[in-house]
Amino acid sequence: MGHVATYIDAIVEAQREEMRRDERVFVMGEDVGIYGGVFKATKGLKDEFGFYRCLDTPISESLIVGAGIGAALMGMRPISEIQFADFIHGAHDQIVNQAAKIFYRTGGTWACPLVIRVPYGGDVGGGMYHSQSVEAWYVHVPGLKIVCPGTPRDAKGLLKAAVRDNNPVLYFEHKKLYRTIKEEIPDDDYVTPIGPAEVRREGRHVTMIAFGLMLQRVLKVAERLSGEGIEAEVIDLRTLLPMDKNTIIESAKKTGKVVVVHEAPKTGGVGGEIASIVAEQAFEYLDGPIVRVCGLDIPHPFHPKMEEFYLPSVERIYEETKKLVEY
Amino acid sequence: MAKKDTGDTAVKEPVEAATLGGPYRDSFKLTPKRKEQLRGLYRVMRLTRDIDDRMRKLFRQGRYYGTYFSQIGQECTTTVPAFLAEKDDFIGPSHRELGCMVGKGVPTKYLFAQVYTKSTSQDRGVMHPVFFGWTDVRQITPCTCLATQVPLATGAALSYKMRGIKNVAFCFTGEGATSKGDFHESLNFCGIHRLPLVYTIQNNWYAESVPLEIQSGNPNQEQRAEGYGIEGVRVSDGNDAIWMLCVYEEAIERARNGGGPTLIMADTYRWYGHSEIDPATYRPDDELKRWMALDPIPRFEAYLLENKVMTSDEMNAIKAEIQAEIEDAVKFAEDSPESPAEVCLENVYAPDDFVNPLSEFDKVVAKEI
């Protein structure tokens, strides 16, 4: 049995179910309580669980994360919401120097079971401070786990997994996906494991790797290529840290051609890491250069035409992939 | 003459030992229970001093790597609150808080194992010598990115309040760390929710080399408390153990019983440089001399003797006991094996079955502000 849910429904459901399951789980962040979140991702939680379990905080990102860490140390299971990914940098010190390293520096005696929910991503007309994809800056930090669900089913399953994980998890939820996709998801309690990637479509001519909003565009491109007799294998990474290297490498060996698509700027992005993994582990199997289709190396522009130009479009992904297939 | 109870300048002149107690001097009664408490506190202060002194010397002898951050001269600001804390009270220290560890009862041998970065320390030798911490007594290891422990203590206090647990979070920084955003964000939040937190600014007048007057527009940092809607207290003689004891008892009682946080600024002085590799040449020539005359430990000793809380024989016995304890601890550390290098690969991620302290289920009781 299942029910149809949007991506944001899945996020609300996951939090509600986890809060019912475990009274130590609580949400804190800007506007999460009375208002139910600026995106309504915490809608109804204050009414059901009370003021302190869906807690409106002052505008203090470092506090939102840092107090979450402190509560986690003392046995709670906090979910700290950063209203927009662009605001997360105020908490950078807490995430990188505290959350990620507590278990390590206490010799494995004190864990940090904290979830940081981070709405991120473009194609929402938000301009440069409401659209950035900042995941790569945190992929560089051992001790963190990072997930980027690309479907409603995974949005719920991965959030539940994050709440139950004993480590700090950055949960990047894509704002564009909130209400633009829906699918049937199970009614019962299920968890999507953190770590494994999911092969969304099997193919033999080219491997396409993506996550978040770009997964949806890549799936469209794969459909179109299929009509032309080109079968693309589509890997949804889902978890960026730790990364499912095995699935990437096996697929690269199988198809010999790899395209990585993400919306963050190309330079220093996750795509570079994936390209290196493929080059290190599957070089002899490659039949062409590893291609990255990414956001441009500029601040995220506002005007709809410029934003469209900035983000990897279905057309751009299609053309770059076609070129590689024909290489 | 007793010194003023709020001060805007450093204590300049030595004071007589008998004046200990600050504004509490007349009301402080030496009941049998009090005397027992003071004997306990004395042991902790003396032990802190002697451990610190030994650690400095060992570093200078090249017996361990890294550097060392001595707190000699400012023992009261850490030993007193840590001595008063209960086991499940959270402690968020900075990098110069040896007294917190000693006061909260961390075994001396593990402190030496830590500075020696040996396999017998809590982190098995992975961290820097000064990363003292001990999960058993809820003391997080310091992070040398200043003030980042402040939100952690705030979160611990939040969880106590939410779950109706009568514990208190303690947080320590120097006066320099109060310039960081984490200080403001946390105290602001503590004020809103009246969290059970006792915050100590150990004013030793220098943030590494930068003096207070170019650190803070208002050197009376305890006055910031008013802006957060919380209690602010200045202890202008932070080397006065009795004054400190009274202030912390009030602050802890307030926190434990729902009265909210307290911001305490205690004036003290670090005798040596920021770390052992800093000769502290930025300080005026006679300043250290003046503050050495205010050494908290002989003053406390004189008080205890004069008020017949302890005899000199009792004190000497404790000192001898401490020396033996330290010798054992140094031997333990020096005899402990180093960890194999591969140990650094462990504990990056916590396993699924890991359980944090205080994870047992407690009902969330806090409903509103």
Side-chain angles (χ1 to χ4, degrees):
Chain A
M1 283 296 288
H3 63 284
V4 174
T6 63
Y7 189 91
I8 197 154
D9 292 339
I11 290 167
V12 178
E13 283 180 24
Q15 291 175 105
R16 190 190 299 124
E17 289 176 21
E18 290 304 294
M19 289 168 84
R20 283 178 183 166
R21 184 184 62 78
D22 184 346
E23 201 166 355
R24 297 171 303 168
V25 179
F26 72 103
V27 183
M28 62 192 297
E30 294 155 14
D31 304 294
V32 299
I34 298 161
Y35 195 48
V38 292
F39 301 106
K40 302 299 169 200
T42 51
K43 190 180 176 186
L45 299 183
K46 179 188 158 285
D47 291 341
E48 181 172 348
F49 300 101
F51 180 88
Y52 271 98
R53 289 189 64 203
C54 188
L55 183 57
D56 280 317
T57 64
I59 300 171
S60 304
E61 279 76 15
S62 193
L63 178 277
I64 292 166
V65 173
I69 298 168
L73 290 173
M74 302 319 282
M76 299 294 281
R77 313 289 296 195
I79 302 172
S80 292
E81 181 186 297
I82 297 293
Q83 197 164 68
F84 283 85
D86 315 76
F87 309 161
I88 197 172
H89 313 305
H92 196 85
D93 209 349
Q94 288 297 326
I95 296 168
V96 170
N97 287 320
Q98 289 285 0
K101 296 182 171 72
I102 277 175
F103 194 65
Y104 194 78
R105 75 177 207 236
T106 58
T109 64
W110 224 340
C112 181
L114 168 70
V115 181
I116 307 171
R117 283 188 33 246
V118 193
Y120 80 109
D123 199 21
V124 291
M128 68 177 70
Y129 297 123
H130 291 83
S131 302
Q132 294 175 84
S133 294
V134 303
E135 66 280 356
W137 300 355
Y138 296 93
V139 169
H140 203 54
V141 185
L144 298 178
K145 292 188 179 181
I146 298 177
V147 297
C148 292
T151 67
R153 188 188 173 103
D154 280 357
K156 185 168 178 181
L158 281 169
L159 186 47
K160 280 170 163 272
V163 170
R164 298 177 196 190
D165 201 286
N166 278 328
N167 295 284
V169 181
L170 265 68
Y171 177 94
F172 282 102
E173 51 195 63
H174 202 291
K175 300 190 295 288
K176 178 70 175 184
L177 296 179
Y178 277 153
R179 292 180 174 80
T180 53
I181 55 170
K182 55 176 119 173
E183 70 176 329
E184 183 156 314
I185 65 176
D187 289 332
D188 56 343
D189 186 28
Y190 72 97
V191 167
T192 306
I194 294 176
E198 174 86 356
V199 178
R200 294 286 174 198
R201 185 184 178 112
E202 294 205 16
R204 62 185 193 281
H205 296 117
V206 62
T207 297
M208 303 183 76
I209 301 170
F211 54 89
L213 175 65
M214 290 300 120
L215 172 70
Q216 301 299 329
R217 295 191 178 179
V218 163
L219 287 169
K220 279 183 192 152
V221 171
E223 191 67 37
R224 184 165 157 191
L225 289 169
S226 181
E228 300 170 19
I230 299 164
E231 294 305 328
E233 180 142 297
V234 177
I235 295 175
D236 175 5
L237 272 182
R238 306 196 291 192
T239 298
L240 303 187
L241 192 66
M243 197 177 280
D244 184 352
K245 295 178 183 177
N246 197 44
T247 297
I248 295 169
I249 293 160
E250 289 310 310
S251 183
K253 285 179 176 175
K254 180 170 136 190
T255 66
K257 289 179 174 172
V258 176
V259 180
V260 187
V261 185
H262 64 64
E263 60 180 281
K266 181 187 272 187
T267 302
V270 173
E273 184 62 31
I274 296 167
S276 293
I277 291 166
V278 173
E280 282 174 351
Q281 312 263 349
F283 180 75
E284 292 95 11
Y285 297 85
L286 293 181
D287 293 324
I290 302 159
V291 172
R292 289 179 287 164
V293 188
C294 306
L296 307 179
D297 286 337
I298 57 169
H300 197 112
F302 170 74
H303 192 282
K305 272 188 205 164
M306 294 182 197
E307 186 175 37
E308 194 186 337
F309 178 67
Y310 168 86
L311 287 171
S313 60
V314 169
E315 196 56 34
R316 176 145 69 100
I317 300 166
Y318 169 80
E319 280 169 14
E320 295 285 339
T321 308
K322 190 86 190 280
K323 214 170 7 174
L324 176 64
V325 170
E326 291 165 356
Y327 180 84
Chain B
M1 184 188 157
K3 289 188 295 10
K4 53 187 186 276
D5 57 349
T6 57
D8 52 10
T9 55
V11 176
K12 298 295 181 194
E13 301 301 327
V15 291
E16 294 299 320
T19 65
L20 285 196
Y24 298 85
R25 187 156 50 105
D26 296 334
S27 58
F28 189 77
K29 297 285 179 259
L30 283 167
T31 60
K33 204 177 157 192
R34 270 291 188 207
K35 289 181 178 178
E36 193 190 327
Q37 182 192 37
L38 294 185
R39 286 191 288 267
L41 178 59
Y42 171 69
R43 190 182 192 286
V44 162
M45 280 175 63
R46 185 80 246 175
L47 181 58
T48 303
R49 167 66 58 91
D50 291 349
I51 290 174
D52 201 322
D53 194 48
R54 192 65 199 271
M55 283 179 175
R56 287 187 70 236
K57 287 182 179 140
L58 290 167
F59 176 73
R60 286 170 175 269
Q61 288 165 4
R63 307 279 273 276
Y64 58 85
Y65 307 115
T67 187
Y68 182 70
F69 298 83
S70 171
Q71 66 160 216
I72 288 185
Q74 53 180 71
E75 284 85 355
C76 280
T77 52
T78 49
T79 53
V80 174
F83 176 73
L84 293 172
E86 291 178 4
K87 187 194 168 210
D88 285 341
D89 289 346
F90 179 88
I91 294 204
S94 190
H95 59 288
R96 200 186 304 286
E97 270 78 4
L98 175 68
C100 287
M101 305 293 295
V102 179
K104 220 163 176 232
V106 179
T108 303
K109 62 180 187 173
Y110 296 122
L111 300 174
F112 281 92
Q114 178 67 46
V115 293
Y116 273 83
T117 56
K118 291 292 186 73
S119 59
T120 45
S121 67
Q122 179 174 264
D123 60 45
R124 299 171 71 197
V126 171
M127 300 301 298
H128 188 273
V130 298
F131 277 74
F132 301 115
W134 202 257
T135 307
D136 284 354
V137 296
R138 319 288 177 250
Q139 173 157 345
I140 190 69
T141 52
C143 169
T144 39
C145 306
L146 292 188
T148 56
Q149 76 276 22
V150 191
L152 271 58
T154 302
L158 173 66
S159 74
Y160 295 147
K161 170 156 185 164
M162 287 173 70
R163 298 155 76 184
I165 302 173
K166 292 238 169 196
N167 277 114
V168 176
F170 292 78
C171 191
F172 297 83
T173 65
E175 80 290 350
T178 65
S179 299
K180 296 267 305 235
D182 276 344
F183 170 85
H184 164 72
E185 293 191 16
S186 300
L187 269 290
N188 181 50
F189 187 77
C190 282
I192 294 166
H193 296 282
R194 310 204 64 69
L195 298 182
L197 181 130
V198 176
Y199 191 101
T200 304
I201 303 171
Q202 305 170 88
N203 175 30
N204 62 19
W205 308 96
Y206 295 92
E208 192 149 1
S209 68
V210 174
L212 179 60
E213 61 264 30
I214 55 173
Q215 183 72 236
S216 191
N218 177 357
N220 302 316
Q221 294 181 335
E222 79 287 358
Q223 291 175 1
R224 298 185 190 191
E226 191 180 345
Y228 303 126
I230 66 178
E231 287 293 321
V233 179
R234 180 69 166 258
V235 181
S236 60
D237 183 359
N239 291 352
D240 175 341
I242 304 296
W243 188 351
M244 292 288 282
L245 190 70
C246 295
V247 164
Y248 278 94
E249 282 181 344
E250 282 181 9
I252 293 167
E253 198 272 339
R254 182 181 300 123
R256 237 185 262 295
N257 295 298
T262 306
L263 175 64
I264 298 166
M265 180 157 178
D267 296 349
T268 182
Y269 200 77
R270 73 166 142 82
W271 287 8
Y272 304 107
H274 171 66
S275 81
E276 285 303 304
I277 55 176
D278 165 22
T281 49
Y282 40 82
R283 305 188 299 199
D285 287 342
D286 57 341
E287 196 174 78
L288 174 61
K289 214 171 135 190
R290 287 206 312 273
W291 277 94
M292 282 179 142
L294 290 169
D295 185 341
I297 293 175
R299 289 170 67 198
F300 191 39
E301 285 177 344
Y303 175 92
L304 295 173
L305 291 170
E306 191 169 316
N307 290 283
K308 303 195 170 22
V309 180
M310 292 177 81
T311 64
S312 54
D313 284 351
E314 284 173 327
M315 252 174 217
N316 288 336
I318 286 179
K319 287 177 192 171
E321 199 183 290
I322 284 171
Q323 281 313 312
E325 183 176 326
I326 290 173
E327 289 319 306
D328 285 351
V330 172
K331 187 168 185 326
F332 171 77
E334 295 200 336
D335 291 348
S336 291
E338 290 192 340
S339 289
E342 290 75 17
V343 162
C344 71
L345 300 173
E346 297 173 14
N347 298 324
V348 179
Y349 291 99
D352 289 345
D353 59 356
F354 190 85
V355 179
N356 261 351
L358 301 186
S359 280
E360 71 274 16
F361 186 79
D362 286 282
K363 198 166 174 59
V364 174
V365 294
K367 298 292 179 205
E368 54 191 307
I369 296 178

